[in-house]
Amino acid sequence: MSEQNQVLDVVIIGGGLVGGLTALLLAQGGVQATVLDAAPVLDQDKTLAVMNPRVLALSQATIHLLKKVGVWENLARQQHYTGMQVWNKNGYGEINFGHHSEQPPKVEQALGAMVEPSVLNLAIQQKMLAEIQDYRTQVRVQRIERGVDVWLIHLADGTVLQTKLVIGADGANSFVREQAFIDLDVLDYKQAGISCAIKTAQPHGHIARQIFLETGPLAYLPMASLNENEYGYWQSIVWTLPDDYADEYAALNDQEFKQLLTRESHHMLGEVLEVTPRAKFPLKARAAKRYVQEGLALIGDAAHVIHPLAGQGVNIGCLDAAVLCDVLLHDRSRGVWAHEQTLQRYEHRRKGQNDAMMHSMSAIGWLETTNLFPVVWSRNFGLKLVEQQSMLKDAFMAQANGLSQLKHTRYAVH
Ligand SMILES: Cc1cc2nc3c(=O)[nH]c(=O)nc-3n(C[C@H](O)[C@H](O)[C@H](O)COP(=O)(O)OP(=O)(O)OC[C@H]3O[C@@H](n4cnc5c(N)ncnc54)[C@H](O)[C@@H]3O)c2cc1C
């Protein structure tokens, strides 16, 4: 089968959160993308019946974008949070943002929301099935190559698509990036993350907590519970550990792991009563050396993977989507599509920001796992300093909520 005669405006390879959001933003701007995704359509009942081991901390900017494309209201469950608390086990530094709240918070009081990746992917997929005319799942892309003014996309079933623009949104191990020969900087942290859902004896009070242990940061992130009677007691943990500790902890049985967490977290929410199976993943930062080349752009994890410490990975991917759609649609209204300069503007507006975020997370990752006295002292001092300066705290929050990055786009919040 060949679709060789038709030249498509845009093909997005990867229909996860970032690729899906891009397709929906473009559709809203009057451009229908072809979306190719390797994954199958999710089964709603099966997806919602289980708790994910991890959650995504969505910033206000990401929530705003998801609302714009009508995905937010279709989420089956999510958990708003109203405060953050970060402190050192090995010192006295502590920093607090926002406030504690026993009752389910009103949306306007929230700093952001925690959503399970599969719940978010389900809502994105359902919206794409309704709004994207050419959304193909379980597709295997075999090869992509540059033709004369177009990219040729060879699918496993023999189909060949021609397009003026390829958007690579195919995640950390991007095939598009590889096929376009775009080099990658990789920083292996020699650490792994362990995630699972836990139920604690005391409620989380809608606070996201992070404690810096000698081995690395341990985060307790409020998550929606499956059972209404347990509202407020479930959290997802992300525990960043050196590789050998991660192997050892991941191999513990439930009882041993509950005891370890209760002890290591200093009973911060009392005893850990339940744990789900643990997921373990290696931690590596990756940064593509370029985000664009002729007729091609990388977005989301295909362009950058940062340390999960700040919970910003998907948020900066959604900002990529917003900025890319903004520059494409802006030039489209002037009769230009996917011009080299359009794509350069996208790279210029996103790459520096993302690289800076990646480097600061890598530095914090190191700062927080070392026991060198001057470093322990300065990180405590740093946390205390920020805690005492409301202007510094406001600046931190402004950076974290992402809204300033949308300011010069059509998606700005007024
Ligand atoms: C432990 C952990 C905790 C995290 N916590 C947070 C957090 O709190 N907040 C946050 O913002 N981020 C967090 N992140 C990062 C976040 O998960 C990612 O940044 C996000 O999922 C990236 O989205 P994406 O759409 O770019 O890629 P993905 O979600 O990986 O989607 C890629 C899509 O491409 C498809 N695909 C792949 N290859 C092909 C191919 N060859 N052909 C067609 N389709 C293909 C896949 O099926 C998939 O649908 C965390 C990450 C980890 C590991």
Side-chain angles (χ1 to χ4, degrees):
M1 194 178 21
S2 171
E3 298 174 23
Q4 220 128 10
N5 294 332
Q6 191 194 358
V7 178
L8 302 165
D9 276 337
V10 48
V11 174
I12 302 175
I13 302 183
L17 172 55
V18 177
L21 176 64
T22 307
L24 293 168
L25 288 172
L26 285 177
Q28 231 174 34
V31 177
Q32 274 285 337
T34 290
V35 181
L36 309 177
D37 198 282
V41 172
L42 292 166
D43 178 287
Q44 173 162 321
D45 294 340
K46 282 190 193 148
T47 303
L48 297 179
V50 288
M51 274 178 142
N52 283 202
R54 71 181 179 102
V55 288
L56 298 170
L58 302 187
S59 68
Q60 288 174 4
T62 299
I63 295 172
H64 169 73
L65 291 167
L66 293 173
K67 282 183 180 165
K68 274 245 167 246
V69 294
V71 165
W72 185 253
E73 48 274 30
N74 290 342
L75 282 176
R77 57 179 185 257
Q78 44 92 355
Q79 177 66 71
H80 280 111
Y81 66 100
T82 55
M84 281 194 278
Q85 188 184 12
V86 181
W87 74 101
N88 268 312
K89 180 187 173 192
N90 214 7
Y92 305 103
E94 174 166 340
I95 182 167
N96 294 284
F97 295 101
H99 62 275
H100 187 274
S101 107
E102 282 309 335
Q103 299 306 319
K106 295 202 177 85
V107 181
E108 57 276 18
Q109 298 172 321
L111 297 180
M114 304 291 175
V115 185
E116 293 152 78
S118 66
V119 173
L120 192 48
N121 276 330
L122 177 71
I124 290 262
Q125 257 196 358
Q126 288 177 339
K127 197 72 187 168
M128 281 205 289
L129 287 167
E131 312 241 324
I132 305 301
Q133 288 155 15
D134 192 11
Y135 168 34
R136 311 183 196 185
T137 56
Q138 289 181 287
V139 172
R140 258 191 357 103
V141 179
Q142 268 188 335
R143 184 160 55 95
I144 68 168
E145 59 178 338
R146 188 70 183 152
V148 181
D149 293 336
V150 290
W151 282 92
L152 300 172
I153 301 175
H154 298 261
L155 308 185
D157 67 358
T159 308
V160 183
L161 303 177
Q162 286 192 75
T163 181
K164 294 178 201 157
L165 174 64
V166 175
I167 299 180
D170 51 344
N173 298 314
S174 174
F175 178 72
V176 174
R177 188 183 62 220
E178 190 189 297
Q179 293 274 298
F181 300 106
I182 295 179
D183 285 341
L184 194 62
D185 284 327
V186 181
L187 174 61
D188 188 345
Y189 293 113
K190 308 263 186 257
Q191 289 175 328
I194 295 186
S195 265
C196 67
I198 64 167
K199 186 180 156 196
T200 51
Q202 292 163 20
H204 52 59
H206 305 94
I207 302 276
R209 295 172 171 81
Q210 184 143 262
I211 176 167
F212 288 106
L213 306 171
E214 284 100 342
T215 43
L218 167 64
Y220 273 29
L221 308 171
M223 74 188 293
S225 50
L226 293 186
N227 178 346
E228 261 181 43
N229 298 331
E230 297 179 342
Y231 179 90
Y233 290 87
W234 278 92
Q235 284 138 102
S236 162
I237 64 150
V238 184
W239 198 350
T240 307
L241 292 158
D243 285 335
D244 42 354
Y245 276 89
D247 291 341
E248 184 189 327
Y249 291 176
L252 297 177
N253 66 33
D254 284 2
Q255 189 56 28
E256 290 166 336
F257 193 71
K258 284 190 287 188
Q259 284 169 355
L260 176 77
L261 257 187
T262 306
R263 194 174 63 239
E264 287 294 303
S265 69
H266 286 232
H267 291 72
M268 70 175 151
L269 289 175
E271 199 180 331
V272 175
L273 303 173
E274 286 181 49
V275 289
T276 63
R278 269 73 68 200
K280 179 165 100 59
F281 39 87
L283 294 178
K284 285 187 184 143
R286 299 162 202 239
K289 293 218 165 143
R290 283 173 294 142
Y291 286 8
V292 299
Q293 57 172 265
E294 212 182 357
L296 183 142
L298 300 176
I299 55 175
D301 276 19
H304 45 73
V305 176
I306 67 169
H307 200 292
L309 186 72
Q312 286 293 333
V314 89
N315 293 316
I316 61 175
C318 290
L319 290 171
D320 294 348
V323 171
L324 180 61
C325 292
D326 186 58
V327 294
L328 287 171
L329 293 172
H330 177 268
D331 285 5
R332 173 94 162 183
S333 67
R334 296 161 48 228
V336 177
W337 181 246
H339 191 271
E340 204 182 324
Q341 282 169 7
T342 314
L343 300 181
Q344 291 291 352
R345 285 211 316 282
Y346 155 68
E347 177 173 295
H348 180 72
R349 284 168 60 180
R350 292 304 304 148
K351 191 168 185 321
Q353 291 277 347
N354 293 340
D355 286 350
M357 170 80 81
M358 188 181 112
H359 292 311
S360 55
M361 285 311 118
S362 300
I364 294 173
W366 177 76
L367 275 175
E368 296 302 347
T369 50
T370 180
N371 288 322
L372 294 172
F373 175 72
V375 180
V376 175
W377 180 83
S378 52
R379 77 186 177 211
N380 289 339
F381 184 70
L383 283 179
K384 270 193 198 155
L385 185 74
V386 176
E387 176 62 12
Q388 285 157 9
Q389 304 283 326
S390 60
M391 263 173 58
L392 269 181
K393 278 171 91 169
D394 289 350
F396 262 55
M397 289 316 288
Q399 177 69 25
N401 71 29
L403 294 175
S404 62
Q405 306 289 317
L406 292 178
K407 212 151 103 199
H408 301 296
T409 70
R410 68 197 54 222
Y411 311 112
V413 181
H414 300 291

